[in-house]
Structure formats: C-alpha cells, structure tokens
Amino acid sequence: MFKNITIAGAGTLGSQIAFQTALCDFNVRIWNPHPDRAKRRLAALRPFYKKDMGLTDEQFDKAMSNILSITNDWEIPFKDCDYLIESVPESLNVKANFYHNVCPHLPEKTIIASNSSTMVPSQLVNYVDRPDKFLHMHFANHIWTNNTAEIVGTDKTKPEVIEEVTEFAKAIKMLPVHLQKEQHGYIMNALSVPFLNAALELWANGVADPITIDKDWMNSTGCPFGPFMSMDMVGIRTVYAIFAQQARTPEELKVAKTMKDMIDAGHYGIEAGQGFYKYPNPAFQRADFLTSIEAR
C-alpha cells in the first residue's frame, strides 16, 4: 500500500483529493505553482467537511497535519513519492511540460496518475518516463460525498498498478470504477457533458436565461441542482476548457466567448464568489427559489 502521496495542482479538485487523502492518514505533499492559493483552497473545505461529514475542528486540523508540505519546489514533494496524482490545468501543453519537469525528480517506484477531465491516457502516456506505471484516476467534484474514482490505464499499464491504485481508492473511501477501455469523459462526464452542453445551447439560442433553465430542470425532474449551479461548482474554467474545444456554431462560439469574458472578469464559480450566481448566499438557496418569478 502507498504511504507517501503527492498531489500536483491544488485547484478545485486537487485540493479536495489532497485533503481527503490526508484525512485517511496518508502522508501528503502538495506541489502547486502558487502555494498560498493552495492553502486558501484547503482552508475553504472546512465548512463543507463539518456540514456534510460531521468533522470537528480537531479532526479537520489533524487531517491538515498530515499535509507535510505545500510548495512549488521540484525536489521536496517528489523525492519519496509512492503515488503522484497530477491535477494541473486542462491543457496538453501544461501537462506535457509538467511531466517533462517532474519525471527526473521521481523515484523509480512512483506510480503516476492523471486526474484529467478532458483527456484520455493515450494522449498523455508518451510524456512520462514509465508508461507501465501510468494511468488515469478521475474524481468527481465534492469527492467526500460524490466518492467515485474512475480508473483506466493504457495497454502498457501493468495489471498490478491498476490493483494498487484500486486499493488506494478504497483506502481513501472512494468507490473504484474500472473502465475496460479509455473513453473521453470516462463514464461520468460522458453522460454529464452533453447535459451541460444542452443547457449552454438553450442559453446561447436565447431560449431562456441560466436561472430559468435551472428552475425548470429542478422542478421538472426533482433534481436538487440545475446545470448552471453544477457548472459553478465544477468551475467555469473547466467547463470552458471542455466546451470551447467543440464550439463550432455562431451560438456556441458566442457562449464560449461569454464564458471566457466571465473568467477574465474573475467570475469563474463558487471559489471566486461569482459565476452564474453570486456567493455566498446564492439565489438558489432561497426558500422560494423554485416558486418565485425572479430570483437573481
């Protein structure tokens, strides 16, 4: 079983993976270009774990003590790493550059996983120096409750590597889901991305605004959240990275530009305090959200 885990990239998901792993008593080190941002994201998880998981402040602090370093140094977080989970931005160039820089610092034993949401293992495996120890391990947002870990390798990945990663997934209280072959979006996003794209297209075509679309979906299906709430949770930067790659029609290009404008203005989701909704206290938390005519 792994002991020393390194998380590279402490954005929305990277910070969650790091804390969940520390909570389960692994030694965790974080590599992030901006260590202060990583610390703020970790601190922001406290109220969620207290509310959703019943953690006390003492338990949260104890887990934080298992995070041994948060740094942008290329030596400290990687020198004794058993398992590296890469969660850097969804750009092929960024990921390729990261692997080029990190591989010389990794011991031979290190298994590497990417948490990429938009790429498949065959797109990244050639950038690592150990293809037999490379695979993807993809997490859902809010991993403490949405605890799925989608696992898939390439034809070069050793079966025992898949087994070790599966045991690790169980150890951090995830449900490991094995894919028999690679698939863009895995299972989760292969289902959810068309749903989110449909919502964006409704908006682009002027059928309805985001809040109206959310209300309709929630009221019609009984779902506790709408597509635009979901995009705020995932982070509009990630949604944009996926949507912009496939935008073709004038309406789609217009939506992509609008999302890019939101990102450039710093309105990229819950973490930023604004996305399609404003935080804290977004409109959808109002008791009359589904029954009011306006709840902006």
Side-chain angles (χ1 to χ4, degrees):
M1 174 59 72
F2 305 137
K3 179 181 178 183
N4 300 312
I5 312 298
T6 299
I7 311 300
T12 299
L13 265 174
S15 58
Q16 294 178 24
I17 298 165
F19 182 80
Q20 181 69 23
T21 303
L23 180 64
C24 295
D25 291 324
F26 288 87
N27 297 329
V28 177
R29 292 175 174 84
I30 295 173
W31 178 89
N32 198 67
H34 306 283
D36 288 344
R37 293 183 190 176
K39 293 173 184 176
R40 289 196 297 271
R41 290 189 182 106
L42 288 164
L45 294 174
R46 185 185 295 266
F48 291 100
Y49 272 85
K50 290 178 71 173
K51 177 178 180 291
D52 296 339
M53 306 303 292
L55 250 65
T56 64
D57 284 321
E58 291 75 15
Q59 289 170 319
F60 189 90
D61 292 339
K62 181 179 182 297
M64 286 294 292
S65 72
N66 289 329
I67 299 177
L68 306 182
S69 65
I70 304 173
T71 180
N72 53 16
D73 182 86
W74 286 100
E75 293 285 346
I76 295 169
F78 304 114
K79 62 183 178 182
D80 193 30
C81 176
D82 295 314
Y83 186 42
L84 166 63
I85 301 176
E86 170 268 303
S87 193
V88 304
E90 289 295 291
S91 159
L92 184 61
N93 288 338
V94 171
K95 290 183 184 295
N97 187 59
F98 170 76
Y99 289 132
H100 172 77
N101 285 313
V102 75
C103 284
H105 299 284
L106 295 172
E108 184 179 346
K109 65 178 181 177
T110 306
I111 292 171
I112 303 174
S114 176
N115 177 50
S116 175
S117 295
T118 63
M119 301 174 202
V120 291
S122 62
Q123 289 178 271
L124 298 176
V125 66
N126 291 332
Y127 297 111
V128 302
D129 61 355
R130 58 202 74 196
D132 58 333
K133 295 180 180 178
F134 179 79
L135 74 167
H136 279 204
M137 185 183 194
H138 180 246
F139 295 81
N141 195 26
H142 288 196
I143 71 171
W144 57 92
T145 52
N146 304 331
N147 61 326
T148 300
E150 297 174 311
I151 299 168
V152 61
T154 71
D155 57 2
K156 299 175 183 176
T157 309
K158 290 182 178 178
E160 54 265 36
V161 167
I162 298 286
E163 291 172 9
E164 286 185 83
V165 170
T166 299
E167 290 307 307
F168 169 74
K170 294 176 182 177
I172 63 169
K173 302 181 180 178
M174 299 293 110
L175 173 68
V177 174
H178 295 150
L179 276 68
Q180 296 179 18
K181 65 178 184 178
E182 65 179 33
Q183 162 67 41
H184 282 279
Y186 311 92
I187 296 172
M188 181 199 325
N189 285 342
L191 294 170
S192 66
V193 168
F195 164 65
L196 298 180
N197 283 352
L200 288 168
E201 287 173 12
L202 288 169
W203 177 38
N205 290 326
V207 174
D209 62 83
I211 290 178
T212 300
I213 294 167
D214 278 356
K215 284 186 181 185
D216 189 313
W217 177 257
M218 294 168 67
N219 202 53
S220 299
T221 65
C223 186
F225 54 86
F228 290 93
M229 295 179 200
S230 178
M231 285 185 260
D232 273 3
M233 287 189 286
V234 171
I236 294 171
R237 288 176 294 191
T238 298
V239 176
Y240 171 76
I242 298 170
F243 187 82
Q245 290 178 10
Q246 59 191 34
R248 297 290 183 271
T249 69
E251 291 82 5
E252 290 170 346
L253 292 169
K254 180 180 177 182
V255 166
K257 182 182 184 304
T258 300
M259 284 194 288
K260 181 64 165 58
D261 290 342
M262 292 171 67
I263 293 166
D264 290 345
H267 303 159
Y268 47 82
I270 293 176
E271 178 190 359
Q274 185 170 344
F276 291 104
Y277 294 83
K278 293 182 179 180
Y279 302 87
N281 307 315
F284 58 77
Q285 290 183 350
R286 285 173 38 176
D288 66 344
F289 177 70
L290 291 181
T291 57
S292 62
I293 296 174
E294 289 295 334
R296 295 184 182 281

